[in-house]
Amino acid sequence: MGAVIRRASLAMAAAVLAAFPFAETVSVARADSEVCNEECDALDPSKATGDRTPVSTTLHGRTIGLHVDDGNAMGWATIDDASAGDEIWLDRSFDGGKTWEGRLGDTEAPEGNPGWRSQMYNVDDWANRGIGALRACGKAADRPEIACTQWARSDWNSSSPSKAAATATMMLFDRNTGLFEGNAWWTGANALTAVIDNMRVTGMRSYEYAIAETYDRNINSHGGNFTNEFLDDTGWWGLAWVAAYDLTGDSRYLETAKVDADHMNDHWTSDCGGGVTWKTDNGYKNAVTNELFLQLNAALHNRIPDDTQYLERAQREWDWFRGSGMINDDKLVNDGLDACKNNGQQTWSYNQGIPLGGLVELNRATGDDGLLETARELADASTKAEALHKDGVLTEPCESGDCDPDGPSFKGAYVRGLGVLNDALPDHPYAGYLKHQAEVAYEHRSPLDMYGVHWNGPVDKISTGRQHSALDLLNAAR
């Protein structure tokens, strides 16, 4: 979204009223204003409807605070124990703090005023769908150092932990590309799926625009229709479009998911008795690609009247997968096959979660309750696996480092699948597990409702994978 000052036009603000329910009410903006929502930028704090201080910091004996008026979704900066000439201002970011427009309301403390403040500025830019954050910054008059608080925002669209995490996820959505931070491809598919799931479980539809924007801007990218040479990438996108279809009823999303499944099916080979290859030019048979193929085809059958083709593919996949050897003696799934045998590579969390969603879809298609019992056995194993937990908290094997670039997304796919299975089983056996994971992660979030790769803290950095994984968790533990 960039670090530029937005100017909201009357026409655009009017369009927001009709099409974008970002907040409960949206007022028409004045054309000569920087950002106008309920009120325009540079409002005097005396007109605040409330005062909350989510973050503060200190500098040379001064206290710098960010104050938030949740009623108007605005904020202002304060400095206490100030000396004459001390400066205070706000920075505002529309991409989670990666870039920002700075020194909003920059002001100096006058003589004889040990407490001083800036004017109020909007957190968000509703007319441009800018999901923002503020921080307060300041410096002493006689010192060069600058101190800033952490980023924080108002409580708009944050009335529950999962809504707050969804809003924070959407801070990473790049409306110029229709993708998430860093133009993430397969992790972007997961982020979009997590946002869609949040709309489904909470009813908050504020971010539905992201579905069409992602689709329209990227339908011709890569191989077209969200296909590419990585067949697991294609599977992630296919499932994202199934979720989009479920939410919106727009048939073009279902048609694209069918193209994705067909593209994957074109690379089913007889090596090792069957299975889909990892890439179009690489014959490696790995777990994630085949698990996604199972879930996508079963899901399509359940949404296409009188289908037989996609059901046959899903049944063929499961028959092959369960006999392939990728499920080890501990009921955990290893990465793939070498020389048609389990290669003993990492039991990544996502490889434990995806088949749970796939088996639920296949059970729905066939009525075979044995599939749910198999899924329960796999879930029992993974929720108790020491290799996947540290002090009872789900921990990816790569978390001794930062897991980048792909690993931060894995836990999201795991809890998403586990949540689907938990909903499908009448005794909801994993509700307690999911609740515990969510409580730990929520306790260690940032003031901006951003999450790190370590759910038991600290927040190491911001990324799409980290954020959507936490959102998936909060969706599943609702």
Side-chain angles (χ1 to χ4, degrees):
M1 294 178 181
V4 296
I5 295 176
R6 280 114 168 117
R7 294 187 177 275
S9 70
L10 289 168
M12 183 171 290
V16 173
L17 283 167
F20 180 46
F22 185 83
E24 294 179 4
T25 58
V26 179
S27 61
V28 175
R30 294 202 310 263
D32 60 348
S33 300
E34 293 176 358
V35 174
C36 291
N37 297 317
E38 293 287 345
E39 302 286 351
C40 291
D41 282 348
L43 186 70
D44 191 279
S46 65
K47 297 182 179 179
T49 63
D51 184 356
R52 177 172 62 90
T53 309
V55 288
S56 62
T57 190
T58 59
L59 175 68
H60 301 311
R62 286 84 163 163
T63 298
I64 298 168
L66 173 67
H67 294 248
V68 175
D69 172 9
D70 288 314
N72 284 326
M74 301 182 82
W76 69 98
T78 62
I79 185 167
D80 294 327
D81 299 315
S83 299
D86 287 357
E87 286 186 76
I88 192 75
W89 68 87
L90 292 170
D91 291 340
R92 179 166 56 197
S93 176
F94 292 101
D95 56 11
K98 291 183 177 296
T99 63
W100 58 87
E101 48 185 324
R103 293 186 175 269
L104 301 176
D106 191 351
T107 183
E108 294 184 3
E111 186 74 37
N113 283 273
W116 196 239
R117 82 291 179 274
S118 72
Q119 299 291 75
M120 296 170 63
Y121 284 77
N122 284 291
V123 178
D124 302 306
D125 182 5
W126 298 336
N128 292 293
R129 292 172 176 164
I131 302 166
L134 298 175
R135 68 181 181 185
C137 299
K139 68 177 294 295
D142 59 347
R143 308 280 186 93
E145 296 85 8
I146 292 173
C148 294
T149 67
Q150 296 186 65
W151 294 99
R153 57 173 283 108
S154 69
D155 64 2
W156 284 105
N157 283 1
S158 300
S159 59
S160 71
S162 69
K163 289 180 181 179
T167 295
T169 302
M170 286 302 297
M171 292 182 203
L172 305 178
F173 184 68
D174 185 341
R175 298 195 61 231
N176 293 316
T177 65
L179 295 170
F180 286 81
E181 162 256 0
N183 292 331
W185 190 243
W186 79 268
T187 55
N190 276 274
L192 183 64
T193 301
V195 171
I196 292 171
D197 283 348
N198 186 258
M199 288 187 264
R200 175 179 55 81
V201 301
T202 69
M204 186 180 77
R205 303 284 286 260
S206 301
Y207 308 125
E208 190 171 344
Y209 65 86
I211 300 173
E213 288 194 6
T214 298
Y215 188 89
D216 292 340
R217 292 181 185 276
N218 294 283
I219 186 65
N220 295 317
S221 298
H222 295 258
N225 287 295
F226 297 88
T227 66
N228 70 351
E229 71 273 21
F230 292 94
L231 296 166
D232 51 345
D233 290 11
T234 303
W236 289 121
W237 278 112
L239 288 173
W241 298 124
V242 169
Y245 170 75
D246 287 348
L247 184 74
T248 68
D250 190 331
S251 62
R252 64 178 179 160
Y253 301 140
L254 191 65
E255 291 302 311
T256 297
K258 290 164 61 178
V259 173
D260 294 338
D262 295 347
H263 177 66
M264 296 180 77
N265 188 66
D266 288 343
H267 299 280
W268 178 282
T269 72
S270 60
D271 294 344
C272 300
V276 177
T277 62
W278 170 48
K279 293 180 65 180
T280 58
D281 59 353
N282 185 312
Y284 178 46
K285 300 290 178 69
N286 65 345
V288 60
T289 307
N290 284 280
E291 293 168 341
L292 291 167
F293 187 68
L294 165 66
Q295 185 174 0
L296 178 56
N297 281 278
L300 285 170
H301 168 76
N302 290 331
R303 290 155 178 82
I304 300 172
D306 302 319
D307 166 72
T308 58
Q309 174 180 250
Y310 293 106
L311 177 59
E312 186 278 330
R313 291 180 187 174
Q315 291 175 314
R316 179 186 62 181
E317 172 61 59
W318 176 239
D319 289 342
W320 175 79
F321 186 85
R322 66 181 176 180
S324 70
M326 277 189 270
I327 304 174
N328 65 32
D329 292 341
D330 294 324
K331 301 293 185 182
L332 298 177
V333 181
N334 293 94
D335 190 74
L337 304 177
D338 290 340
C340 299
K341 295 182 179 179
N342 186 317
N343 59 21
Q345 292 183 20
Q346 285 287 6
T347 52
W348 302 111
S349 67
Y350 72 161
N351 280 332
Q352 320 314 313
I354 304 167
L356 306 182
L359 289 171
V360 169
E361 288 283 7
L362 192 55
N363 163 262
R364 179 182 166 193
T366 64
D368 181 357
D369 288 338
L371 296 169
L372 293 183
E373 289 308 308
T374 298
R376 187 193 290 263
E377 291 176 4
L378 296 175
D380 285 348
S382 60
T383 54
K384 298 172 184 175
E386 292 184 4
L388 290 173
H389 295 85
K390 181 179 179 181
D391 299 326
V393 178
L394 185 65
T395 303
E396 205 65 50
C398 59
E399 286 188 39
S400 56
D402 63 9
C403 290
D404 286 335
D406 294 334
S409 281
F410 292 173
K411 291 190 294 188
Y414 174 72
V415 293
R416 191 188 309 151
L418 184 65
V420 169
L421 176 62
N422 188 62
D423 288 345
L425 295 173
D427 57 338
H428 309 303
Y430 308 109
Y433 173 90
L434 290 165
K435 180 182 178 183
H436 174 66
Q437 303 301 318
E439 288 175 345
V440 170
Y442 186 73
E443 180 68 22
H444 292 93
R445 75 198 188 284
S446 81
L448 199 53
D449 286 292
M450 292 287 188
Y451 293 75
V453 72
H454 315 293
W455 285 351
N456 57 352
V459 176
D460 56 331
K461 65 175 74 170
I462 293 171
S463 74
T464 297
R466 288 164 171 79
Q467 189 62 23
H468 88 68
S469 287
L471 178 56
D472 280 313
L473 172 62
L474 295 166
N475 289 338
R478 63 193 182 280

